[in-house]
Amino acid sequence: MAWLLICWHITILLIILGMGHAAEKESSMLGATAKGTVILGGIFAVHEDVEKENRTFAPHLHPCIRLEARGLVRMLAMINAVEKVNRSPLLADVNVTLGYHILDSCADVSTALRATAHFIERSHCPGTTSCGPPVLAVVGASNSEGSIAIARQLTLEMIPQISYSSTAVTLSDKRRFPAFMRTIPNDRHQTTAMVSLLSTYGWTWVGVVITDGNYGQSALENFVSQASKHGICVAFKSIIPQAVGSQDVRSAITQTARTIFENPQAQVIVSFAKPTLMVYLYQELKNQMLRGGRDLKSMRRVWVASDSWSSSSSVKENIHLEDMGHVLGFTFKSGDLSSFNEYLSRLEAAGHGDTGDNVFLQEFYMQLNASEGYGDTALVSKAVKTLREHTHASTIFSVEMAVSAIAQALVSVCRNRDCRTPGTVQPWELLKAMWMEEFKLRDKSFKFDSSGDINLGYDVTMWRSDGENIHVQNVVAEYHPHNNSFTHSNHSSAQQLNALKHIISKCSKSCVPGESMKTTKGPHTCCYECAICSANYYSNDTGKTFPFTITRLYMAQCLSCDPVTEWSPEGTSSCLPKDRLFFSWQDPFAMVLLTFSALGVIQNLMVSALFLQQQDTPVVKAAGGPLSQVILFSLVISDISAMLFVGRPNSLQCKARQVLFGVSFTLCVSCILVKTLHILLAFQFNPELHEVLRGLYKPYIIVAICVSLQAATCICWLVLKSPYNHIVNNPTTLLEACHEGSYLAFGVMLGYIAVLAFMCFICAFKGRKLPHLYNEAKFITFSMLLYLISWLLFVPVYITTSGVYLPAVEMVVILISNYGILCCHFFPKCYIILFKKEQNTNTAFRKKLYEYSNNTTDVVSVSVVTNCREGVTCPSLHRGSITRHCCERSNSI
């Protein structure tokens, strides 16, 4: 441990000696240097402020205080960018290398001016051996106030200056700052984006907090100007001095916190303040809340953060987001951090002893070691970890663009001359090349616009907290300056931003077209009262605003919408056409019903094909033989008729759907009725009536008569009062639907089918105890019962239901009826045919008859008779004196 202390003492001594040497040759300006054919100057705010307590009349350099990791990261980004360019073949082609001389502005204008004067002195140094190559371009400064002061000096020599974070609008004035350029957009674009964001969420009553200086004042001026054009009022403006440690700053922060609490309706605050001042403001807000005994939740606001603190690590580390509220930050476009991360890894591997001519890095190591007392490896690891935490991709990208622009302009100038000799290249030549030509970075081309800016737009970030730490979330939206619009990064980001819509930041409820405005309260035009036009009334004139007054006169009159085709809710500026609704093909419920209809058609056709193939088997004959094909055909037509209930109704469709269903389903039920009568004729009637009923039993005639009666009903319906399409006028919609024309005829049609179904049910119920293998009576009973119940339920539902889904009600009942018959009548037979083939034989058929005969209570004798027509042997049952031939019944059992 002792040798570590000795090493540190020696290191400190060497730094002090180096500082003394620098005082002689460089006016005590500390910095980081590297040799090269061409030297780039760099001005970075590595320290946060300067010590100004010791006042003297003699000119002197104020010592810098509070080294800031964020500023050190920016400086290292420039060093890495220079080293990366030197390793590339770009400069090798012209046989030059870049060096750098980076000085610290300490976030102080006077110190920045001293650094600038030092760069200019190098250009006028009489000997190159003592001063080294002149500085041909300067990267910096970070804040606008410093950049403005530096630009005035550098303009005298036309030394190009490229800033990576100064955004004041005035710097875009090329008449005043012809040598200034930047790799970011100016604040006019940022304030435009902010105003667009506020307008999107309807936040019209906002507060503004700025840090005094060129940056803050310029941002405030542009924001207020653009906000007023979009109907956004500034509830208050708080200006905080720049000097962090002064008494004026403490007083201004206290007053700002008090102002925020005095304006609770201003739930959104736009801040262009420095990161340190934002931390102080948060602490003061919290202290005032605690002193007042109020809940900390009441201090929550939506903070719209400018690029100055939107990604600040110092702010994130010193606030609690659950108390702060929501933070929406505007950041510049980001790039790839892989190169800089590799540089930090190399820095970590080199150790703290390999800092080169970088006194800031040495001081950073000393500062960390003084607080914790790390070992060599732990110290460097901690330092690199801290640097990574303060790394912001947008700033690194901006610095890299600045170095790349200078390097590629240098190549353009040196392509036809030897630039190794100092003085060969003049700063203004480099400036001209940067103005005229594009430069590339990571295979993308960039070019400074006519204002010397590069406007790539902004990324919008949203801060989030995991309970302990605050993270700047990845980009949730992107701002496009060419059309003043935002796009969400993904669906999740859109949902998170939508969560802010419930936040209201208005002095008064917004008066929109369709509302009348009364006299205002207070000096702001955003504070007024509104009278809303009632429903189905509108107004497209909200009144006139007289400049420089606080009076708005209501000029509009609420007009009535056309009650037939238009409507409007309360408080709208125009009438809306009523939406035309119908049971659409794209409706999910319609798609489900259509799927069932199509499946029904397919299943009926498949069963029909199977029955045709197996038409000579006992099961198919027992199912009705040819009548089963008629039933299946009628079910196909009935399924098709159900499809006509979907889609925009027309006259033909309205007429066809009910008639098609009525006739087809009547055909189906008539065939089933014939089958039930056949069963009863074979087994259930007494001997006296048996012969008479056999004479009257004519299946096809019965079916024809039943269907004819229904067809006659439908024809009369179509001729006398047929269904038609019509439009139901609802308050906000126009419902396109079919009117049945005559509900009496509609009821007669359905009632007729119900009577037939009920007869089927009665007849089938009587034959429910017949041999179960081939007996359809039970299945007919169940299917008819299902039909009757579903249609009994349909009647009250149909009468009491209205709207888009009324056709779906009947469609559902039709499908239930169709599937009931298909499942009860045919699926059991298909199961026997496909999976119980041993039961689909004459032998099995005779066996079931014998079992049925033996289980009857009467004396039954079984004999075998021969069917003369077919020459097959069939069992014959004798009950009493009547002999019933099974071959005659085989198609019914």
Side-chain angles (χ1 to χ4, degrees), residues 491-599:
H491 180 66
S492 175
S493 300
Q495 288 181 324
Q496 293 170 19
L497 288 173
N498 287 337
L500 299 177
K501 289 185 176 180
H502 71 279
I503 295 173
I504 299 174
S505 186
K506 298 178 180 179
C507 178
S508 303
K509 185 181 66 171
S510 298
C511 252
V512 295
E515 295 179 338
S516 62
M517 289 181 288
K518 297 183 179 179
T519 56
T520 63
K521 54 180 180 180
H524 294 285
T525 58
C526 291
C527 301
Y528 46 80
E529 296 178 355
C530 304
I532 303 175
C533 289
S534 59
N536 295 321
Y537 286 83
Y538 73 99
S539 171
N540 56 12
D541 184 1
T542 55
K544 297 180 180 179
T545 304
F546 295 92
F548 309 109
T549 68
I550 60 172
T551 305
R552 288 193 180 192
L553 300 180
Y554 179 69
M555 303 296 291
Q557 186 179 14
C558 293
L559 305 176
S560 175
C561 299
D562 185 343
V564 178
T565 60
E566 296 177 332
W567 74 285
S568 69
E570 292 185 349
T572 54
S573 62
S574 61
C575 293
L576 303 174
K578 292 185 177 181
D579 292 332
R580 289 181 174 266
L581 304 179
F582 56 90
F583 194 38
S584 170
W585 295 90
Q586 287 76 32
D587 190 286
F589 188 32
M591 292 180 182
V592 173
L593 295 179
L594 288 170
T595 301
F596 277 104
S597 298
L599 288 175

Side-chain angles (χ1 to χ4, degrees), residues 533-780:
C533 289
S534 59
N536 295 321
Y537 286 83
Y538 73 99
S539 171
N540 56 12
D541 184 1
T542 55
K544 297 180 180 179
T545 304
F546 295 92
F548 309 109
T549 68
I550 60 172
T551 305
R552 288 193 180 192
L553 300 180
Y554 179 69
M555 303 296 291
Q557 186 179 14
C558 293
L559 305 176
S560 175
C561 299
D562 185 343
V564 178
T565 60
E566 296 177 332
W567 74 285
S568 69
E570 292 185 349
T572 54
S573 62
S574 61
C575 293
L576 303 174
K578 292 185 177 181
D579 292 332
R580 289 181 174 266
L581 304 179
F582 56 90
F583 194 38
S584 170
W585 295 90
Q586 287 76 32
D587 190 286
F589 188 32
M591 292 180 182
V592 173
L593 295 179
L594 288 170
T595 301
F596 277 104
S597 298
L599 288 175
V601 172
I602 295 172
Q603 290 171 351
N604 284 315
L605 294 176
M606 292 175 65
V607 172
S608 177
L610 179 63
F611 272 41
L612 284 174
Q613 183 186 11
Q614 302 287 330
Q615 60 182 340
D616 295 328
T617 61
V619 168
V620 174
K621 292 180 179 180
L627 284 179
S628 64
Q629 295 294 331
V630 177
I631 294 174
L632 290 169
F633 171 75
S634 64
L635 290 177
V636 169
I637 302 302
S638 182
D639 285 328
I640 294 174
S641 71
M643 298 181 184
L644 297 178
F645 286 83
V646 181
R648 185 187 295 272
N650 55 62
S651 179
L652 180 61
Q653 180 182 347
C654 293
K655 292 178 173 64
R657 63 181 191 176
Q658 297 291 6
V659 173
L660 200 60
F661 165 71
V663 174
S664 63
F665 207 77
T666 300
L667 176 61
C668 176
V669 176
S670 299
C671 293
I672 295 173
L673 178 62
V674 168
K675 291 175 64 176
T676 57
L677 292 175
H678 198 183
I679 294 172
L680 292 179
L681 284 173
F683 286 98
Q684 295 298 320
F685 288 122
N686 58 52
E688 291 79 10
L689 296 175
H690 184 268
E691 292 301 329
V692 176
L693 292 177
R694 281 184 61 191
L696 296 175
Y697 176 70
K698 305 296 181 183
Y700 295 104
I701 296 177
I702 293 174
V703 171
I705 293 173
C706 292
V707 173
S708 298
L709 291 174
Q710 183 69 288
T713 301
C714 292
I715 291 172
C716 293
W717 184 10
L718 293 175
V719 171
L720 298 177
K721 203 170 184 181
S722 65
Y724 58 92
N725 61 311
H726 74 135
I727 296 177
V728 180
N729 192 353
N730 294 320
T732 61
T733 60
L734 296 175
L735 177 62
E736 297 188 46
C738 286
H739 191 283
E740 304 305 341
S742 171
Y743 284 101
L744 176 62
F746 181 46
V748 170
M749 182 196 75
L750 295 180
Y752 180 72
I753 299 175
V755 170
L756 295 179
F758 185 72
M759 292 173 61
C760 292
F761 172 75
I762 296 300
C763 295
F765 184 78
K766 289 182 174 291
R768 68 188 183 283
K769 296 183 179 180
L770 297 180
H772 69 278
L773 184 60
Y774 303 109
N775 177 29
E776 293 188 86
K778 293 180 180 179
F779 299 117
I780 295 174

Side-chain angles (χ1 to χ4, degrees), residues 416-430:
N416 298 319
R417 71 177 78 173
D418 184 5
C419 296
R420 288 175 294 178
T421 303
T424 305
V425 180
Q426 296 300 319
W428 64 268
E429 294 180 293
L430 202 60

Side-chain angles (χ1 to χ4, degrees), residues 56 88 125 220 316 384 510 657 671 712 774 777 868 890:
T56 177
S88 69
C125 187
L220 176 62
K316 291 187 293 179
V384 172
S510 298
R657 63 181 191 176
C671 293
Y774 303 109
C868 300
S890 61

Side-chain angles (χ1 to χ4, degrees), residues 109 201 225 241 258 288 317 324 397 430 490 504 508 520 524 554 667 712 743 808 835 864:
V109 175
Y201 290 98
S225 173
R258 188 178 297 113
Q288 290 190 17
E317 293 168 357
M324 189 83 166
F397 182 55
L430 202 60
N490 49 54
I504 299 174
S508 303
T520 63
H524 294 285
Y554 179 69
L667 176 61
Y743 284 101
F835 302 109
V864 178

